Amino acid sequence: MDERHQVTGNTPDGSEPPAPTKRELVLDAAIDVLGSRGPRALTHRAVDETAAIPTGTTSNYFRTREALLTGVTERLEQRDYADWPALTAAPMPESLDGLAAGLAEFVVHAVTTDRTRTLARYALFLEAQTAPALLESLRRGHGRLSEWAGTMLRAIGVGEWATTPVVDYLEGVIMHRVASPDAGSDPAPQMRRMLRALISEPHDVTPDSQ
């Protein structure tokens, strides 16, 4: 079976995404600064230098650091949303091992190909503790991840009760691996062990076990 699933609200038509605007290029540079150099390095001048644009350009778009952080959070959400169809179009798992493989692929992508964006997101979590607008955007991203994980779990007969612990585990693995020298090593074996310990057999979950 090659059933495919999609997070609600994503209806990609297969067309090429539009070229980023100058504002979006500024925000992409800000993501690079935040993810590669940390929140203290995120200044208007640093973004100008990273984007190779005239000094003062970033400030023209975002007058304050708070405005820049808000823009970065929104741009991260926009880029995550654009990437989401590729992830949610993957074949549905038919077994615990298939689920473990899909989750492991997500982890490896987050800590290798998407490493800078992942680090930028962690930096924003710290900044968001005093900025509710940032926190709300980050929560929406967490909600999409939870919805995807829940859909994958349901495909092998596991109820909603397992979604939160699985997502918490995923995020913990990503956080530890992003700082590890072997970030790209295969996390599938430990993912299988975690899933077996959590849900026993994939089709042996009853309401009483919640």
Side-chain angles (χ1 to χ4, degrees):
M1 181 177 69
D2 187 29
E3 183 183 355
R4 295 174 184 272
H5 66 285
Q6 201 171 68
V7 172
T8 302
N10 285 343
T11 55
D13 58 8
S15 60
E16 288 294 322
T21 64
K22 191 169 185 179
R23 181 180 186 275
E24 289 169 344
L25 290 173
V26 167
L27 291 173
D28 288 342
I31 291 170
D32 287 342
V33 172
L34 190 61
S36 62
R37 296 163 55 186
R40 289 187 178 182
L42 185 65
T43 64
H44 292 77
R45 180 179 294 276
V47 175
D48 288 340
E49 292 173 353
T50 300
I53 53 180
T55 300
T57 301
T58 300
S59 182
N60 288 338
Y61 284 103
F62 307 98
R63 300 301 298 175
T64 65
R65 188 171 186 275
E66 182 178 352
L68 179 59
L69 284 168
T70 300
V72 166
T73 307
E74 292 171 351
R75 179 59 173 161
L76 270 175
E77 186 175 4
Q78 180 186 32
R79 287 176 59 179
D80 288 346
Y81 188 85
D83 290 348
W84 205 245
L87 177 63
T88 59
M92 295 280 277
E94 298 181 347
S95 65
L96 184 146
D97 285 351
L99 174 60
L103 297 179
E105 183 178 355
F106 177 82
V107 169
V108 171
H109 177 79
V111 300
T112 56
T113 305
D114 212 22
R115 175 184 172 83
T116 299
R117 213 189 311 182
T118 296
L119 289 169
R121 191 174 293 107
Y122 286 148
L124 284 170
F125 269 110
L126 297 178
E127 297 283 346
Q129 301 313 303
T130 56
L134 304 187
L135 195 57
E136 181 58 33
S137 179
L138 293 168
R139 284 173 175 164
R140 283 194 295 268
H142 177 82
R144 281 195 298 274
L145 176 59
S146 296
E147 186 174 351
W148 171 71
T151 302
M152 299 278 276
L153 285 160
R154 288 193 299 274
I156 62 169
V158 180
E160 290 292 332
W161 65 269
T163 300
T164 296
V166 166
V167 171
D168 287 349
Y169 180 82
L170 268 181
E171 293 183 330
V173 170
I174 291 170
M175 180 176 289
H176 285 288
R177 281 180 169 254
V178 80
S180 171
D182 61 344
S185 62
D186 185 11
Q190 70 185 64
M191 201 72 67
R192 284 193 295 272
R193 288 192 292 271
M194 181 277 295
L195 289 170
R196 289 188 182 117
L198 177 66
I199 63 179
S200 298
E201 296 297 329
H203 298 287
D204 189 28
V205 178
T206 65
D208 292 340
S209 66
Q210 298 180 25

